[in-house]
């Protein structure tokens, strides 16, 4: 390995750990650990939002599917995310800020508790957060192992342990404060690398038009809407991504971290444009690899998840490849750090709180739980063989389906009920789980146009609205008013816990 | 409880998601594709409501955005399966990549900034 590449890797890891150490000195309570002390400005919040959404699934998985399916892959997985950010800012921005000012809200289950004042809804959402966080972390750990093994020459399992140890080190130390500031660095790194490699990759394949012509002449369906995958499958994918964005906990919690309502204004624009720029990586590298395979300049790939790494290895200078791999690692680690703290919060604060237990020394136990989340994800990652893309899709769909209705619509709709919330969360999680297992085991065969994630989100939202409409009582409208009005507010967090935190 | 504007918007969202579910389940691409921009704009309109259920100054930019976005989806839908090319891609894919993607990337975030400045900030600062 080039000495410069080794220096870059060490420098990157050292910077992340240094930020973690800096954040640790500023973290002395659960509020600072879980919502960065509510001190974020719009730029940090917006870049951290996009970089925690742009995960290993987005950068590595989408590059592979673009190689395999053509441009239609990104219509499903990426192009509508900027619109999804805007929808999320509209639905969550001002309402979450108002609610967070009235209550001690540090997590999605806290919000559910404050909104519905229901133990069953609170417990169910807490369990969903814990399971979902570990599932999402598993995908990030898997991707980390692949990238670090390529950077250092170790096995993917060893790479997974090394990467997990580093992301755990700075997240356990500095919590969400470390996560968002490392997200900022990681996000900026991803933007620079994506722009540079898009132009480099397209140029390597002969320029944009020549690249597309090569693919068109070989197989026009690769550039078509109804090509490698049926059009409705791609649209279902886009539905999941667009409308599921407002249900992603790593995005929802960012709104709870803002220091001031004025910081909302430019967030959607910055996050959306940043995400679109990093989509260029998958577009350029995925299509250029396909074109160069057709041109006979690259070998056909056995595993599409290797598209980005094979491109970097075969077509770029080792130093460029090293920097780019660090950029991919940044995409993965930025999502991982958010889910470590969200998973820890769900285990320590939400689940125990929903069961009526008060956790003393909450900060300490959040740190312990963070280690637990990483270890659980490592165990899953090393013993499951599903591809990164599939794991990521399950996490996104399950979160989107469970949170979009109960939270995003529930912040506005006085008829939204706790019963509907509980049922929707259970159906979303079990629906995803049962159908995914049934199809993977061959017990159920879905039509090739059927995209489960999109259908689950759409169906779950219909279910939530219908059940709420049927079960709503006048008291439910009062609960919505109590979420925002100071004189009717209730104690959401455990005051005793806050007092003994330090 | 009497029905109000929020009820109407949420029930519309439910209806549009039901159409999406039918379209995605039974392979009817029109029902899966065309509700997307309308649903996006209805959700944005819901997000524009202040604590009293008013839209105030937010409605004109949202309506303009909605009309343009829906028109672009209709355009892409009309050429989704033809054999022509647009900028090297099949026509429908070309409309999505060269027109819809830049539009939503630039203008959806900008729409939030405009609506926030004109309307939503007053609701938060109360």
């Amino acid at each position: 390995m080039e000495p410069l590449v080794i220096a870059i890797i060490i420098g990157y890891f050292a910077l992340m750990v240094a930020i973690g150490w800096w954040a640790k000195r500023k973290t002395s309570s659960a509020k600072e650990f879980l919502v960065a002390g509510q001190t974020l400005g719009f730029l940090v919040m917006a870049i951290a939002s996009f970089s925690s959404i742009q995960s290993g699934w987005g950068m590595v998985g989408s590059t592979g599917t673009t190689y395999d399916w053509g441009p239609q892959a990104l219509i499903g997985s990426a192009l509508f995310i900027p619109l999804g950010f805007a929808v999320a800012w509209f639905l969550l921005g001002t309402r979450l800020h108002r609610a967070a000012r009235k209550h001690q809200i540090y997590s999605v289950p806290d919000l559910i508790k404050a909104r519905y004042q229901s133990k069953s809804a609170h417990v169910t959402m807490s369990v969903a957060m814990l399971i979902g966080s570990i599932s999402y972390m598993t995908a990030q750990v898997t991707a980390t192992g692949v990238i670090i093994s390529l950077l250092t020459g170790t096995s993917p399992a060893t790479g997974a342990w090394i990467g997990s140890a580093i992301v755990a080190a700075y997240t356990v130390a500095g919590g969400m404060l470390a996560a968002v500031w490392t997200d900022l660095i990681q996000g900026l790194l991803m933007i620079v690398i994506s722009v540079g490699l898009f132009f480099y990759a397209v140029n390597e394949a002969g320029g944009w038009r020549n690249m597309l012509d090569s693919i068109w002449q070989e197989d026009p369906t690769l550039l078509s809407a109804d090509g490698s995958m049926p059009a409705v499958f791609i649209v279902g994918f886009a539905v999941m991504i667009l409308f599921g964005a407002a249900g992603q906990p790593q995005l929802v919690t960012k709104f709870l971290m803002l220091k001031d309502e004025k910081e909302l204004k430019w967030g959607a624009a910055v996050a959306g444009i940043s995400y679109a720029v990093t989509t260029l990586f998958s577009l350029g590298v995925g299509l250029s690899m396909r074109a160069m395979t057709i041109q006979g300049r690259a070998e056909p790939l056995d595993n599409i998840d290797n598209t980005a790494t094979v491109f970097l290895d075969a077509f770029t200078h080792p130093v460029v490849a090293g920097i780019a791999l660090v950029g991919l690692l940044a995409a993965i680690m930025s999502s991982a750090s958010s889910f470590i703290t969200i998973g820890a919060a769900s285990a320590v604060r939400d689940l125990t709180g929903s069961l009526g237990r008060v956790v003393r020394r909450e900060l300490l136990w959040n740190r312990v739980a963070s280690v637990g989340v990483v270890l659980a994800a490592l165990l899953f990652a090393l013993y499951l063989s599903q591809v990164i893309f599939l794991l990521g899709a399950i996490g996104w769909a399950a979160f989107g389906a469970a949170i979009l209705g109960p939270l995003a619509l529930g912040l506005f709709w006085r008829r939204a009920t706790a019963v509907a919330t509980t049922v929707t969360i259970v159906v979303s999680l079990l629906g995803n789980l049962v159908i995914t297992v049934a199809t993977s085991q061959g017990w159920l065969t879905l039509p090739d146009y059927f995209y489960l994630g999109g259908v689950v989100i759409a169906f779950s939202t219909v279910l939530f609205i219908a059940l709420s409409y049927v079960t709503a009582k006048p008291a439910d409208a009062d609960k919505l008013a109590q979420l925002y009005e100071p004189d009717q507010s209730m104690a959401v967090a455990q005051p005793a816990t806050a007092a003994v935190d330090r | 409880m009497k029905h109000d504007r929020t009820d109407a918007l949420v029930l519309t969202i439910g209806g549009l998601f039901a159409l999406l579910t039918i379209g995605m389940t039974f392979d009817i691409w029109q029902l899966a594709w065309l509700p997307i921009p309308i649903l996006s704009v209805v959700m944005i309109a819901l997000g524009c409501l202040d604590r009293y259920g008013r839209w105030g100054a937010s409605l004109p930019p949202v309506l303009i955005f909605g009309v343009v976005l829906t028109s672009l989806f209709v355009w892409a839908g009309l050429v989704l399966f033809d054999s022509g090319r647009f900028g090297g891609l099949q026509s429908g894919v070309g409309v999505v990549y060269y027109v819809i993607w830049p539009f939503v990337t630039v203008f959806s975030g900008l729409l939030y900034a405009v609506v926030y400045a004109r309307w939503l900030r007053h609701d938060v600062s109360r």
Side-chain angles (χ1 to χ4, degrees):
Chain A
M1 198 190 326
E2 298 271 334
L4 184 58
V5 175
I6 296 172
I8 291 166
I9 297 167
I10 293 173
Y12 169 72
F13 284 162
L15 180 60
M16 296 301 107
V17 173
I19 291 172
W21 183 254
W22 163 80
K24 181 179 182 294
R25 295 173 59 191
K26 291 180 170 291
T27 301
S28 56
S29 70
K31 179 180 178 182
E32 280 144 0
F33 191 86
L34 299 177
V35 288
Q38 296 179 326
T39 57
L40 300 190
F42 89 92
L43 188 65
V44 179
M45 184 269 190
I47 299 287
S49 296
F50 113 76
S51 61
S52 61
I53 290 286
Q54 181 62 287
S55 60
W57 169 42
M59 295 286 277
V60 180
S62 289
T63 306
T65 48
T66 302
Y67 168 86
D68 196 32
W69 305 350
Q72 63 168 194
L74 291 173
I75 294 176
S77 68
L79 302 195
F80 292 109
I81 282 195
L83 181 56
F85 276 132
V87 170
W89 250 259
F90 272 103
L91 290 178
L92 304 174
T94 54
R95 298 273 168 154
L96 281 191
H97 191 78
R98 281 174 54 200
R101 280 197 313 193
K102 308 295 182 232
H103 308 273
Q104 287 184 38
I105 294 175
Y106 302 161
S107 65
V108 171
D110 269 356
L111 276 162
I112 293 295
K113 183 182 178 186
R115 170 63 184 86
Y116 296 105
Q117 303 173 28
S118 157
K119 187 172 181 179
S120 65
H122 190 203
V123 171
T124 315
M125 184 57 87
S126 302
V127 172
M129 281 297 107
L130 185 58
I131 294 171
S133 296
I134 292 172
S135 166
Y136 227 120
M137 260 302 289
T138 304
Q140 308 312 314
V141 166
T142 308
T144 305
V146 172
I147 302 296
I148 291 188
S149 71
L150 289 166
L151 280 165
T152 62
T154 60
S155 70
T158 306
W161 278 99
I162 293 170
S164 300
I166 289 166
V167 74
Y170 69 75
T171 310
V172 170
M176 197 53 97
L177 193 61
V180 292
W181 281 96
T182 51
D183 284 355
L184 175 70
I185 305 289
Q186 290 158 345
L188 295 174
L189 187 61
M190 285 150 60
I191 289 170
V192 171
I193 286 166
S194 297
V195 172
L197 279 175
F198 170 76
F199 288 107
Y200 180 83
V202 169
N203 187 55
E204 194 69 18
W208 180 254
R209 190 58 194 243
N210 286 337
M211 178 179 77
L212 295 179
D213 285 345
S214 296
I215 299 172
W216 183 271
Q217 283 157 17
E218 175 74 12
D219 184 2
T221 61
L222 275 170
L223 300 181
S224 302
D226 201 22
S228 303
M229 304 302 285
V232 168
F233 179 93
I234 295 298
V235 174
F237 199 164
V239 165
M240 179 190 81
I241 290 295
L242 197 171
F243 298 113
Q248 300 307 305
Q250 71 272 43
L251 178 59
V252 174
T253 49
K254 298 290 187 303
F255 288 100
L256 305 175
M257 301 176 198
L258 285 172
K259 65 179 175 188
D260 190 88
E261 71 271 11
K262 296 185 193 75
E263 307 296 339
L264 285 166
K265 184 177 175 183
W266 290 107
V270 171
I273 291 170
S274 301
Y275 193 96
V277 169
T278 55
T279 301
L280 292 173
F281 177 89
S282 298
L283 182 63
V285 174
L287 287 184
S288 70
M289 274 299 285
R290 188 68 185 210
M292 289 191 287
T293 303
I294 292 166
Q295 293 161 3
R297 296 173 58 205
E299 292 292 318
L301 296 170
D302 294 329
N303 181 355
I304 61 169
D305 283 335
N306 295 336
T307 305
T309 52
V310 168
F311 170 81
L312 293 170
D313 184 49
F315 293 100
T316 64
H317 188 275
V319 173
V320 174
I323 295 169
L325 287 172
V326 169
L328 294 181
L329 201 55
I332 297 160
M333 292 169 84
S334 60
S335 297
S337 58
S338 287
F339 278 102
I340 291 171
T341 47
I342 290 167
S346 62
V348 174
R349 180 184 180 82
D350 304 321
L351 203 51
T352 53
S354 65
L355 297 172
R357 302 290 181 105
V358 175
V359 177
R360 297 188 180 276
R361 305 187 71 188
E362 191 180 349
L363 177 58
L364 171 68
W365 285 109
N366 271 309
R367 287 187 164 131
V368 172
S370 297
V371 175
V373 169
V374 176
L375 288 176
L378 266 167
L379 287 175
F380 279 113
L382 298 179
Y383 292 100
L384 287 175
S385 57
Q386 282 96 330
V387 292
I388 298 164
F389 187 74
L390 178 63
L391 282 170
I394 292 171
W396 184 285
F399 280 136
I403 297 177
L404 178 65
L407 188 57
L409 300 184
L411 288 172
F412 293 85
W413 197 32
R414 62 198 168 126
R415 292 177 197 269
T417 67
V419 172
T421 296
T422 306
V423 172
T424 301
I425 296 166
V426 171
V427 168
S428 303
L429 285 186
L430 287 183
N432 262 307
L433 190 68
V434 170
I435 297 177
T436 302
V437 169
T439 49
S440 67
Q441 295 298 314
W443 304 330
L444 175 69
T445 304
L446 295 173
D448 58 357
Y449 62 79
F450 189 90
Y451 190 80
L452 178 62
V455 175
V456 165
I457 285 184
F459 175 77
S460 298
T461 311
V462 173
L463 179 69
F464 173 78
I465 293 170
L467 273 178
S468 289
Y469 195 81
V470 172
T471 58
K473 295 178 182 136
D476 293 308
D478 297 338
K479 290 174 185 171
L480 180 62
Q482 287 165 4
L483 182 66
Y484 302 118
E485 297 306 323
D487 53 339
Q488 299 178 63
S489 69
M490 53 165 232
V492 169
Q494 305 94 325
T497 306
V500 296
D501 235 359
R502 285 171 190 271
Chain B
M1 284 186 274
K2 282 185 180 174
H3 279 79
D4 61 10
R5 188 173 280 164
T6 307
D7 290 323
L9 286 171
V10 171
L11 293 176
T12 305
I13 288 168
L16 289 165
F17 268 121
L19 288 180
L20 280 177
T21 306
I22 293 166
M24 291 186 288
T25 304
F26 298 104
D27 198 17
I28 308 166
W29 74 266
Q30 295 91 339
L31 283 186
W33 178 249
L34 293 175
I36 290 175
I38 303 166
L39 185 52
S40 302
V41 173
V42 174
M43 289 176 121
I44 286 172
L46 179 66
C48 291
L49 291 176
D50 73 353
R51 66 185 69 197
Y52 305 111
R54 301 174 307 191
W55 275 313
S58 66
L59 217 45
V62 171
L63 285 176
I64 293 168
F65 179 84
V67 168
V68 174
L69 184 64
T70 306
S71 304
L72 295 179
F73 267 71
V74 170
W75 177 20
L78 289 172
V79 294
L80 207 55
F81 301 108
D82 77 12
S83 56
R85 295 181 76 186
F86 176 26
L89 299 165
Q90 182 268 338
S91 302
V93 177
V95 172
V96 174
Y97 265 85
Y98 299 132
V99 186
I100 295 179
W101 185 30
F103 176 77
V104 297
T105 297
V106 174
F107 290 102
S108 54
L110 204 57
L111 176 69
Y112 183 79
V114 169
V115 170
Y116 183 86
R118 286 170 60 117
W119 177 242
L120 290 173
R121 70 186 170 90
H122 303 301
D123 193 41
V124 183
S125 59
R126 275 195 192 100

